[in-house]
Amino acid sequence: ITLIRNSSTLSTLTVAGYGDPFLNAENILQGLRDNTSLMHLRIAGGLWGDLIFSRFFRVLHECPLLERLQLCRIEMTKEDVEQVTQMDRRAKPIEISTCLSEDLMCDRNFDETVGGMLWAHPEIRLDPNIWYDEDDEKEETPHVVDLNWN
């Protein structure tokens, strides 16, 4: 976390946390708030806390250079989508990769729910196709790419 916070030249970072102990999402979020150079962040599993996707989106306004955020093994829930829909837009486009939670994928109003978030935030390019492991098959996801505005 100190690496994220104190770096003025770090442009790409992968953080992996498998098993115990879990990574503390608040520490990573604080590091992002203080970072001035990060363009690509990939977090692979192990984050502790609720509503990870919406918490990260809230911090993106403070990360003007960040172009890509990958949240592997971290699910975007229906509640995340509802919260992000109500947040302010980010000035710069960003590509976000994440898994979709079962409650979101099974939502009968999926297009309306996720499409509404992407309509409210055309700066987001959402890619829900994250592998859980390189050996696993891609998870089946609805046609989210078609709902993107950019």
Side-chain angles (χ1 to χ4, degrees):
I1 307 314
T2 302
L3 181 63
I4 297 172
R5 180 177 289 147
N6 295 337
S7 176
S8 61
T9 57
L10 181 69
S11 64
T12 301
L13 178 64
T14 296
V15 179
Y18 296 101
D20 249 347
F22 289 99
L23 299 169
N24 185 316
E26 276 309 311
N27 289 342
I28 294 174
L29 291 167
Q30 185 57 51
L32 273 176
R33 285 183 191 101
D34 297 337
N35 184 278
T36 58
S37 63
L38 201 59
M39 297 173 71
H40 180 186
L41 175 61
R42 180 176 190 263
I43 299 175
L47 278 182
W48 179 257
D50 295 325
L51 301 171
I52 298 294
F53 180 81
S54 55
R55 289 166 63 197
F56 270 87
F57 189 82
R58 186 173 285 114
V59 171
L60 292 180
H61 292 82
E62 301 173 49
C63 308
L65 296 180
L66 197 64
E67 297 173 350
R68 187 161 195 210
L69 174 63
Q70 291 179 285
L71 299 173
C72 308
R73 292 186 174 207
I74 299 164
E75 294 183 332
M76 178 176 69
T77 66
K78 184 175 180 183
E79 190 174 350
D80 279 316
V81 171
E82 291 166 352
Q83 285 192 16
V84 169
T85 300
Q86 301 302 317
M87 293 179 192
D88 292 334
R89 286 186 181 169
R90 185 174 190 259
K92 184 177 178 182
I94 186 163
E95 181 179 333
I96 301 177
S97 301
T98 191
C99 300
L100 303 179
S101 69
E102 189 173 335
D103 76 311
L104 184 59
M105 287 178 53
C106 294
D107 183 3
R108 8 181 282 220
N109 299 316
F110 179 87
D111 284 4
E112 188 177 307
T113 303
V114 175
M117 178 190 74
L118 294 171
W119 181 81
H121 292 283
E123 74 277 15
I124 295 175
R125 174 91 180 146
L126 186 61
D127 176 10
N129 295 316
I130 289 290
W131 286 271
Y132 279 95
D133 288 307
E134 289 183 15
D135 296 334
D136 290 347
E137 291 184 30
K138 246 184 194 181
E139 63 182 73
E140 290 296 318
T141 57
H143 54 279
V144 174
V145 174
D146 297 336
L147 298 174
N148 284 311
W149 283 73
N150 62 33

